[in-house]
Amino acid sequence: MSKVLQQFLTENLTDLRNQGLYNEIDTVETPNGPIISVKGKEHINLSSNNYLGLATDERLREAALDAIRKWGVGAGAVRTINGTLEVHEKLEETLAAFKGTEAAISFQSGFNCNMAAISAVMDKNDAILSDELNHASIIDGCRLSRAKIIRFNHSDMDDLRRQAKTANESGSYNKIMVITDGVFSMDGDIAKLPEIAEIADEFDLITYVDDAHGSGVLGKGAGTVKQFGLQEQIDFQIGTLSKAIGVVGGYVAGKKELIDWLKVRSRPFLFSTAVTPADAAAATKAVELMMDSTELNERLWDNADYFKNALKNLGFNIGDSETPITPCIIGEEKTTQTFSKRLFEEGVYAKAIVFPTVPKGTGRVRNMPTAAHTREMLDKAVAVYEKVGKEMGIIQ
Ligand code: PMP
């Protein structure tokens, strides 16, 4: 290894470890279901984004296995060079139907999708109005586009309107886009999409909603845009195939012309091979299941309401989440870490989220009850919360 790299790595890794900021990743010994085994012991898993439990669903496994038998394990090359397999086309048609749009395009991940879509449309002569709490992949996608990035205060519609007006009246930009998460992943609050659409209409903004945490959850599964009936007003509906859909990949759903443009101008589509046939087939199956029945979505909400109420009744601060994302806000960083560690020792797997992911002093343990949890599992988790909360003096 070169000396300069060696020095860089040693210095920075030591520094991170000394500050307690080096994130040790656990090895999970069982599939990612509601119960996982870590360090040889079973835990109730409240850390996944596997909202509907589809990551381990038998029907998705079968679809993936059938696709492997029919198509093999890899796509062969990027789609523009080697052609598109029917499984990828089927996935995109199914996603468009699910989202209520003319067309859809899939990418290798949700992260990749934001890198691809923003920079395919925006450039250095443009401006992007971005909610200050937007996901890292949106921030990176905006940076990659070289557009002027104007952050607005989180879900503050007065601030958005003021900044949209200033940007619009300045005459400095060819195009202006407003970007928001549909559901914010740390607090579980929903973006104010009707107001955003209204402001976008007033100032001729392109609208972009990353609904990674809304799809499969809101709008009876079809997402935040559908919940508000704004399919015609939102230009870009972004989603991931890795959370409620349970597989891997990302997508943009929108008008056919937009998707046509992304197929010729988004670099991760042009220069990176698509998800495997197994991924595409399993994700297609997941979307079909969600369109056929809202049963899993209803179970998710039942479980989420049950778990949230139980924590609230115990006296925990669960913030103002409007979705299954259930933050249990502890505050001080070290206490939050200790709380999560004690939950782990008692058989609950729920991770501490602290600064810099969330503001200082708002450390929390983030819980994700899913459709796959049974009431018995949730009751056990709540009992552990009560025990540890009382022991640490967080609740009375
Ligand atoms: N956007 C948002 C809002 C997300 O929460 C995430 C996942 N953390 C992503 C994009 C990235 O999705 P993926 O894991 O599919 O790359």
Side-chain angles (χ1 to χ4, degrees), residues 33-47:
I35 304 280
I36 51 173
S37 171
V38 179
K39 298 194 172 106
K41 186 180 156 197
E42 286 201 335
H43 298 265
I44 297 163
N45 180 15
L46 288 169
S47 273

Side-chain angles (χ1 to χ4, degrees), residues 282-322:
T284 303
K285 180 51 109 185
V287 179
E288 285 171 350
L289 292 174
M290 282 153 75
M291 289 198 294
D292 279 354
S293 161
T294 53
E295 192 194 326
L296 288 175
N297 179 267
E298 282 153 25
R299 207 180 304 157
L300 165 70
W301 280 97
D302 275 355
N303 278 347
D305 289 342
Y306 182 79
F307 184 71
K308 280 161 105 173
N309 281 334
L311 287 197
K312 207 166 160 181
N313 290 340
L314 283 174
F316 285 106
N317 173 7
I318 60 159
D320 299 313
S321 172
E322 302 166 272

